[in-house]
Amino acid sequence: MANDKKISAVNSSNRKTPLEHTRNIGIAAHIDAGKTTTTERILYYAGVVHKMGEVHEGTAVTDWMEQERERGITITSAAISCGWKTKVGLFSGINHQINLIDTPGHVDFTAEVERSLRVLDGAIGVFCAVAGVQPQSETVWRQMDKYGVPRIAFINKMDRTGANFLGAIEDIRTKLGKNAHPLYLNMGAEDKFEGLIDLISMKACIYDSKDPLGEKFDVVDIPTEYAEQAKKYREFLIEALADDDDELAEKYLGGEEISEDAIRSAIRRATLSLNFVGVIPGSAFKKKGVQMLLDAVVDFLPSPLDLPPTKAFLDDGSEIEIKPDDADKMTALGFKLMSDPYVGKLVFCRVYSGQLKKGDTVYNPRTRKTERVSRLMIMKANDREDIDVAYSGDICAIIGVRGIATGDTLCERSFEGILEPPTFPEPVISMSIEPKSKADQEKLAVGLQNLSEEDPTFKVTTNSETGQTLIAGMGELHLEIICDRLFREFNVDATSGRPQIAYRETITGEAAGEGKFIRQSGGRGQYGHAVIKIEPGKRGEGAVVLNEIVGGVIPKEYIKPTQEGILEGATNGVVAGYPVIDFCARIVDGSFHEVDSSEMAFKMAGIFAFKDAMKKASPILLEPIMKVEVSTPEEYQGDVVGDLNRRRGQIQNMETRGTLANITAFVPLEMMFGYATDVRSLTKGRASYSMEPSHFEQVPTNLLQKIVETSSRAAARS
């Protein structure tokens, strides 16, 4: 085969599993769709664990943190490796290594999903057969689109009342805009869910009702009552593939008999091109459909060789391609940091090319420093296995490197490229935290530093006016978990203030501003003078500062300090002291002094010019708006809608699925504190909700003065 030469060139003779038989995948979904339970079943059937853990019992392998086990949710993504050998399919009889990452579903921990998807080759999207596509399902789907991740879908909870497999697929098509088609059909649903029909082989897999572990199932001919439906949906599947695949279309239009392998190959090609999503029904809790899901992972999701080369960026802005090749220069991306009480800082890495060996010295282009890898491990949730070498395509953890941040490139000294790091959203909520005693002060500083290194969406700042330590995150639960970890892991006794909203300021008009910084002190003085014009920018654009100086009225060496001054001035607006966003500032004029001008003087001039211009540019205060989706029994729909309206919510959509009403609304974050308790009271504990940051909107005039006064009082009290 022509491909053999290519494969032997990239695979080292020492590696246990060749690259083409490696799958780096993640499991992502809305909270409570069943990701962790699905992962537990995968680990059991793959032989990694000998007893299945349960989320509700706090025994799940990948939910190893105390906070995860207490709350029954995933907080931090867990990496784990397992092997799988399919009995049928394109790779039957070949053992594959699956590196699996179980990600959180709660929006407060969306950074864990973001950085995991950045380094993964494929993904499983898990959906609830009753609820279909939920808000966080859409968020993780958009993240998969952002990184171009091929995926398959698992419709979980087919055993639950109201389960609708074909309805969930239709939801994926309409809400996510994907060409989704079943690879299997369900045999029965709810308490009568007994097995799956394979639309490729046209066989039925019926589970043994007496086997509590879900390991025994019979492969038989399709029962008569399902035969017509199976034939119909197999035809739909082949038609959908023929639309995207010339090779299959030729056979289909020519009336040829299409083999099972031809269908599987077409599904694989369509999945890798991101034009097709194969869907599998199942019940992870009742242990049905997971083996078929694993077969689909091996058959349809990519190996590192199937994807386009990764791009690295050089200092001059040019790009180079990084291909998975064990013989090439070592290049890896550090995508996650974790503090381990026994071994110190762990850095999770995805090796893109070459070999990373224990004892190697690696170079960090960001810091321009080298560090030594003292230990190298493959992670199994919170357990680990020491290894001597990690090959291209592997996901591993290293110990011994210190000056590493999330998104850093690790490579050989002769390689100057930087891999694209994952991007993260800005925090939307903050609160103060103070140690209770002098002894806790140092422990608090260490704990906050470690946690901010681990989590890119957790920020620590000090208020320069009050001296208060402020922590910021993605939501109430996020900050609650941070405080809990400070107490348990770092033994810090501290008090926290009420969460504060991350308001922002912007401008609605255009204005010019002038800033002068002149000091005379007997000797050499200080002189800086800048004139700027500011105008509103596009929403989400951030701060843009342009240099439009002509004729050298401000020398080139003072332009950058002036720009820095403008950006520093934008960290505290003139309405209520909040950061200013979405504006464009242009430096248009100024003057300098041959002797007295300095970088510091022009930086101060930039700050003064920005403040002067902003006061005249019709500044406004913006508040974060959350997209809220509530799922409630129909009889409580009116109460829930009324409550959302009282919270200044704007109802966007209401739809009914079975006996449940799904309500989508935009609600200011300020009005959502304590909503979990309130919605439970309204619905006798039967409703659930989720929310995610959506956008910023202007604060209503009647509330503006109150917010400004509250902000001033808080600063005065501190």
Side-chain angles (χ1 to χ4, degrees):
M1 287 172 65
N3 205 33
D4 287 346
K5 190 177 286 184
K6 171 189 157 191
I7 288 171
S8 61
V10 299
N11 281 318
S12 162
S13 58
N14 296 323
R15 61 186 301 154
K16 291 179 183 175
T17 308
L19 261 171
E20 63 273 21
H21 300 147
T22 300
R23 302 286 182 269
N24 292 314
I25 65 163
I27 297 190
H30 184 88
I31 190 168
D32 204 32
K35 298 177 299 300
T36 302
T37 304
T38 304
T39 305
E40 286 297 312
R41 305 301 182 252
I42 287 173
L43 298 181
Y44 177 78
Y45 296 129
V48 174
V49 296
H50 302 293
K51 183 178 184 297
M52 296 185 211
E54 301 292 354
V55 173
H56 59 277
E57 293 173 2
T59 55
V61 173
T62 52
D63 281 356
W64 53 271
M65 289 172 63
E66 289 178 51
Q67 292 85 353
E68 292 177 316
R69 293 185 167 177
E70 287 171 358
R71 291 168 173 80
I73 61 169
T74 301
I75 293 168
T76 182
S77 52
I80 201 156
S81 295
C82 63
W84 185 252
K85 187 185 290 186
T86 61
K87 292 176 181 173
V88 294
L90 298 174
F91 304 97
S92 59
I94 300 172
N95 195 51
H96 283 67
Q97 179 178 319
I98 299 174
N99 300 318
L100 178 67
I101 295 183
D102 174 31
T103 64
H106 198 288
V107 69
D108 282 15
F109 310 107
T110 190
E112 290 289 330
V113 185
E114 185 84 21
R115 60 178 164 198
S116 298
L117 290 173
R118 167 63 186 84
V119 298
L120 292 172
D121 302 327
I124 301 169
V126 180
F127 299 88
C128 172
V130 180
V133 175
Q134 295 166 280
Q136 193 62 11
S137 313
E138 295 183 55
T139 303
V140 298
W141 208 262
R142 286 197 302 270
Q143 288 170 309
M144 291 182 204
D145 286 338
K146 175 180 172 181
Y147 293 112
V149 178
R151 69 214 76 160
I152 54 178
F154 182 59
I155 307 297
N156 191 26
K157 304 191 178 183
M158 284 301 302
D159 59 301
R160 276 186 51 185
T161 304
N164 184 347
F165 177 59
L166 296 175
I169 292 178
E170 191 55 38
D171 231 16
I172 293 172
R173 289 175 184 157
T174 53
K175 290 184 179 175
L176 304 178
K178 283 296 175 184
N179 183 22
H181 287 271
L183 305 179
Y184 293 81
L185 288 177
N186 56 300
M187 296 177 67
E190 302 177 352
D191 58 347
K192 293 183 174 62
F193 179 49
E194 57 177 345
L196 288 78
I197 296 167
D198 186 342
L199 295 179
I200 301 171
S201 67
M202 290 299 276
K203 294 286 184 182
C205 307
I206 302 175
Y207 280 84
D208 184 345
S209 59
K210 294 176 184 174
D211 175 21
L213 299 175
E215 292 179 287
K216 297 175 184 173
F217 56 87
D218 296 318
V219 179
V220 298
D221 290 332
I222 298 172
T224 311
E225 65 267 32
Y226 294 109
E228 196 59 41
Q229 187 192 30
K231 187 179 175 185
K232 172 180 152 187
Y233 279 94
R234 188 179 202 263
E235 193 71 16
F236 287 162
L237 173 63
I238 294 172
E239 281 177 12
L241 293 169
D243 286 342
D244 190 61
D245 194 290
D246 293 342
E247 200 175 312
L248 192 79
E250 200 174 316
K251 293 179 181 178
Y252 179 65
L253 294 172
E256 289 181 46
E257 183 66 34
I258 301 174
S259 68
E260 291 178 29
D261 277 356
I263 297 173
R264 287 193 177 93
S265 296
I267 293 170
R268 182 173 180 81
R269 287 192 295 270
T271 303
L272 298 188
S273 69
L274 304 177
N275 294 329
F276 179 86
V277 177
V279 191
I280 302 156
S283 167
F285 184 61
K286 292 295 176 70
K287 310 171 185 71
K288 291 173 183 169
V290 179
Q291 296 95 328
M292 295 74 181
L293 178 64
L294 276 165
D295 287 345
V297 166
V298 166
D299 266 355
F300 309 130
L301 290 183
S303 76
L305 293 172
D306 293 316
L307 296 173
T310 303
K311 289 180 179 174
F313 302 91
L314 301 177
D315 288 342
D316 62 4
S318 59
E319 298 177 1
I320 56 172
E321 291 185 343
I322 309 294
K323 295 178 181 176
D325 190 333
D326 290 346
D328 213 338
K329 289 180 180 177
M330 195 286 294
T331 315
L333 182 73
F335 67 94
K336 176 179 166 71
L337 275 63
M338 191 174 93
S339 296
D340 187 287
Y342 303 107
V343 296
K345 185 189 286 185
L346 281 172
V347 179
F348 287 75
C349 286
R350 161 72 191 264
V351 182
Y352 281 96
S353 68
Q355 302 177 34
L356 178 60
K357 297 175 182 174
K358 184 171 76 171
D360 274 357
T361 298
V362 294
Y363 177 64
N364 184 343
R366 180 182 63 85
T367 61
R368 301 196 180 277
K369 291 181 180 177
T370 55
E371 302 198 48
R372 187 174 176 274
V373 177
S374 57
R375 283 175 70 187
L376 197 58
M377 297 176 295
I378 287 180
M379 296 302 293
K380 297 193 173 176
N382 66 329
D383 202 3
R384 56 189 70 84
E385 176 189 324
D386 278 277
I387 56 172
D388 293 324
V389 59
Y391 299 96
S392 56
D394 283 352
I395 292 175
C396 62
I398 58 179
I399 295 172
V401 290
R402 297 184 180 280
I404 303 290
T406 299
D408 276 355
T409 300
L410 300 176
C411 56
E412 294 180 18
R413 188 69 193 243
S414 57
F415 179 83
E416 277 287 335
I418 294 178
L419 296 166
E420 184 183 358
T423 55
F424 302 104
E426 285 297 310
V428 296
I429 189 169
S430 66
M431 67 183 186
S432 61
I433 187 163
E434 299 294 336
K436 282 190 175 176
S437 68
K438 192 83 173 171
D440 289 309
Q441 180 82 47
E442 195 172 322
K443 288 191 285 185
L444 177 65
V446 171
L448 291 176
Q449 183 182 346
N450 284 343
L451 293 173
S452 62
E453 283 178 357
E454 283 183 29
D455 185 349
T457 58
F458 171 60
K459 306 286 186 189
V460 182
T461 55
T462 303
N463 187 314
S464 56
E465 294 178 3
T466 65
Q468 265 189 325
T469 300
L470 301 175
I471 57 175
M474 298 306 296
E476 281 185 282
L477 180 62
H478 189 192
L479 295 184
E480 182 188 320
I481 298 290
I482 291 287
C483 292
D484 198 34
R485 289 187 65 190
L486 283 170
F487 176 69
R488 295 192 191 189
E489 293 174 33
F490 299 96
N491 300 313
V492 176
D493 200 0
T495 54
S496 55
R498 185 181 183 272
Q500 301 295 311
I501 314 295
Y503 291 104
R504 293 288 183 267
E505 298 182 23
T506 193
I507 55 172
T508 57
E510 298 180 10
E514 185 174 13
K516 284 186 177 180
F517 184 72
I518 303 172
R519 289 267 172 91
Q520 295 297 332
S521 54
R524 181 181 171 182
Q526 296 281 356
Y527 184 92
H529 173 216
V531 178
I532 69 167
K533 289 182 178 178
I534 61 172
E535 60 195 46
K538 292 178 183 173
R539 281 289 163 91
E541 195 175 66
V544 178
V545 183
L546 304 174
N547 171 27
E548 295 186 359
I549 291 294
V550 291
V553 291
I554 297 178
K556 191 180 290 184
E557 63 266 29
Y558 298 137
I559 296 296
K560 191 175 180 186
T562 308
Q563 291 173 324
E564 290 172 353
I566 292 168
L567 291 173
E568 188 170 314
T571 58
N572 293 288
V574 299
V575 181
Y578 291 100
V580 187
I581 60 170
D582 302 339
F583 69 88
C584 176
R586 294 177 286 121
I587 308 169
V588 295
D589 200 1
S591 61
F592 73 103
H593 190 280
E594 290 282 358
V595 178
D596 291 351
S597 285
S598 66
E599 290 187 1
M600 190 274 280
F602 272 95
K603 185 174 182 180
M604 295 303 296
I607 294 172
F608 295 156
F610 179 78
K611 298 287 188 190
D612 182 44
M614 190 181 175
K615 287 173 187 172
K616 297 180 278 188
S618 305
I620 58 170
L621 190 66
L622 301 172
E623 62 181 344
I625 304 296
M626 311 300 284
K627 181 184 179 184
V628 180
E629 180 159 307
V630 186
S631 183
T632 176
E634 270 192 292
E635 61 260 41
Y636 302 112
Q637 182 175 349
D639 294 334
V640 171
V641 169
D643 183 61
L644 288 171
N645 285 328
R646 281 192 293 275
R647 295 173 187 270
R648 297 197 283 130
Q650 299 171 9
I651 307 298
Q652 300 298 306
N653 187 39
M654 289 190 284
E655 63 177 15
T656 304
R657 289 178 66 93
T659 59
L660 288 177
N662 288 331
I663 304 156
T664 306
F666 288 135
V667 190
L669 174 61
E670 184 213 4
M671 306 303 294
M672 289 303 292
F673 290 128
Y675 186 65
T677 305
D678 294 345
V679 78
R680 285 191 199 112
S681 301
L682 277 174
T683 62
K684 296 184 170 61
R686 293 173 64 193
S688 62
Y689 84 100
S690 66
M691 67 176 182
E692 59 178 297
S694 175
H695 60 282
F696 283 90
E697 275 184 15
Q698 184 174 355
V699 171
T701 310
N702 60 324
L703 297 173
L704 178 60
Q705 192 57 38
K706 179 185 169 188
I707 292 168
V708 172
E709 287 172 1
T710 303
S711 178
S712 301
R713 279 200 303 270
R717 270 200 312 272
S718 304

